[in-house]
Amino acid sequence: MRKVLVAVAGCCLLLASSIARADMPGDPLSWLGRIASAAERVNFTGTFMYQSGAHSETSRIAHRVDEHGQFERLEVLDGSPREVIRVGSEVRCVLPDERTVIIDRANSRRVFPVRLPETFGSLAESYRISKGRVSRVAGYEAQAILLEPRDNLRYGRTLWAERQTGLLLKSRIVDEDGGVVEQITFNDVRIGGEIGEELLTPRFEYNDSWRVVHAGGNEIGREETGWGATPPLPGFAPVSAMKRPLGQDRGEAIHLVFSDGLASISVFIEPLSAEAPQDQLGEQSNGAINIYKRAAHGHLITALGEVPARAVRRLGDAVQPGAH
């Protein structure tokens, strides 16, 4: 899974400059392709706001791509301090208050402004995709792309892409009634130009006394997991399977990912301990993420994703051993 970026960094830079000069595409699928690649190939820095229900927070981000690969620093400016540092294919999430560092792979993250996969497959089977109006976001002209779900198992989305580069400037998720579930938007952003080392230098230092969590798992074949979903959730196909460590003396969890090409649902399957609190089973939510937990076959099954609650429940209930 680990991507080697150094060998292709020069090509990425050339592609980034050519994107800025290219004619703007007319069809919405081409716009989605530009959005998917721009955040990986364009230098930018700015602040953006995340809003979900009554919760909001502001983050500062700087991203640089050069002949040595990709570098990024994201700092949450509200509440408890958090910092995410990317160097090449590795991401470190630093939590100073908890004296904890979480190490993961860069390609496991789909956070703003990287909100789309590199390929879309049969996305049009699950969404009606169209171009919206051009409007201004953070001082730039932005093309709106609308994704309207064809059923009630996924949310609707609107994406606003900067017209010259395709960089995502704003993202909105809405429920079936049109209510805003989540919105992320740049308050200010500078696209292109040099990104100095001072913008990428970590603010927080840590040492050997901190707890280090290696979140990256080992990818395995889906047939090796011994688990699957029957019946499958319409429009969602299995896209990856891995084993992730649970911590000292706790063994491993199986992590399955199902996707419709845009939204994804993660399913974690771990041995059920006798101490597991039963009152935490059932449906929960955390912002735009819905969570469903059930105990079955001697395991705790947790399904979660930025999809309606009915979708995570249906998939969570469908997961069972021996299904593929």
Side-chain angles (χ1 to χ4, degrees):
M1 291 177 62
R2 200 176 287 269
K3 296 181 180 178
V4 180
L5 296 173
V6 174
V8 297
C11 293
C12 288
L13 288 171
L14 290 174
L15 283 169
S17 61
S18 67
I19 287 173
R21 295 190 300 267
D23 292 335
M24 297 172 202
D27 65 286
L29 280 176
S30 295
W31 273 100
L32 292 180
R34 296 182 79 205
I35 294 170
S37 62
E40 301 282 345
R41 297 175 175 174
V42 176
N43 287 357
F44 61 89
T45 181
T47 58
F48 63 85
M49 176 172 286
Y50 168 85
Q51 296 174 289
S52 180
H55 175 72
S56 67
E57 64 182 28
T58 304
S59 299
R60 179 187 296 119
I61 188 171
H63 176 270
R64 183 180 75 198
V65 58
D66 57 27
E67 66 274 14
H68 301 294
Q70 292 194 62
F71 303 86
E72 186 174 287
R73 176 179 176 268
L74 184 153
E75 181 183 359
V76 179
L77 303 178
D78 306 321
S80 299
R82 283 170 286 158
E83 182 178 61
V84 180
I85 303 294
R86 173 177 179 174
V87 177
S89 59
E90 183 181 87
V91 170
R92 296 187 175 225
C93 180
V94 182
L95 308 173
D97 287 355
E98 301 175 31
R99 299 178 63 83
T100 298
V101 179
I102 302 172
I103 302 175
D104 205 350
R105 296 168 177 153
N107 56 6
S108 68
R109 298 169 68 242
R110 284 288 162 198
V111 296
F112 188 82
V114 184
R115 302 289 281 179
L116 295 173
E118 295 178 355
T119 58
F120 307 106
S122 56
L123 197 61
E125 295 180 9
S126 299
Y127 300 88
R128 287 180 286 270
I129 308 170
S130 62
K131 290 174 63 178
R133 298 170 53 187
V134 174
S135 58
R136 283 174 58 80
V137 179
Y140 291 87
E141 286 196 342
Q143 174 65 59
I145 303 298
L146 286 65
L147 298 105
E148 181 185 358
R150 296 183 182 274
D151 57 29
N152 62 3
L153 296 175
R154 59 211 90 223
Y155 289 131
R157 299 174 187 241
T158 304
L159 308 173
W160 284 266
E162 197 274 318
R163 297 187 76 197
Q164 296 299 321
T165 62
L167 183 69
L168 185 63
L169 299 179
K170 183 177 179 179
S171 170
R172 178 183 293 164
I173 297 176
V174 297
D175 60 24
E176 57 190 332
D177 298 320
V180 177
V181 175
E182 175 191 275
Q183 180 166 289
I184 312 176
T185 182
F186 271 112
N187 299 320
D188 65 84
V189 61
R190 174 171 63 86
I191 303 174
E194 295 294 324
I195 302 297
E197 288 296 330
E198 71 279 2
L199 296 176
L200 300 169
T201 302
R203 175 182 172 188
F204 304 103
E205 296 183 0
Y206 57 91
N207 52 46
D208 293 340
S209 67
W210 286 41
R211 184 167 68 104
V212 178
V213 178
H214 293 272
N218 297 316
E219 190 169 11
I220 58 176
R222 291 193 297 273
E223 66 282 352
E224 296 179 55
T225 68
W227 293 78
T230 302
L233 189 65
F236 286 85
V239 294
S240 70
M242 63 182 63
K243 289 185 177 181
R244 292 186 178 273
L246 288 172
Q248 187 175 10
D249 301 324
R250 293 182 57 201
E252 295 178 313
I254 294 172
H255 179 194
L256 307 176
V257 179
F258 299 80
S259 177
D260 65 2
L262 179 62
S264 63
I265 303 176
S266 285
V267 178
F268 295 89
I269 306 163
E270 58 185 280
L272 184 64
S273 66
E275 297 81 18
Q278 295 297 306
D279 59 353
Q280 293 185 8
L281 300 180
E283 296 181 3
Q284 307 169 36
S285 65
N286 183 7
I289 298 176
N290 281 298
I291 307 165
Y292 173 65
K293 296 185 178 185
R294 68 185 261 255
H297 312 288
H299 288 76
L300 176 63
I301 300 171
T302 304
L304 59 92
E306 284 186 336
V307 295
R310 64 176 66 88
V312 292
R313 174 180 279 276
R314 282 183 58 174
L315 184 59
D317 285 337
V319 170
Q320 57 184 290
H324 294 288

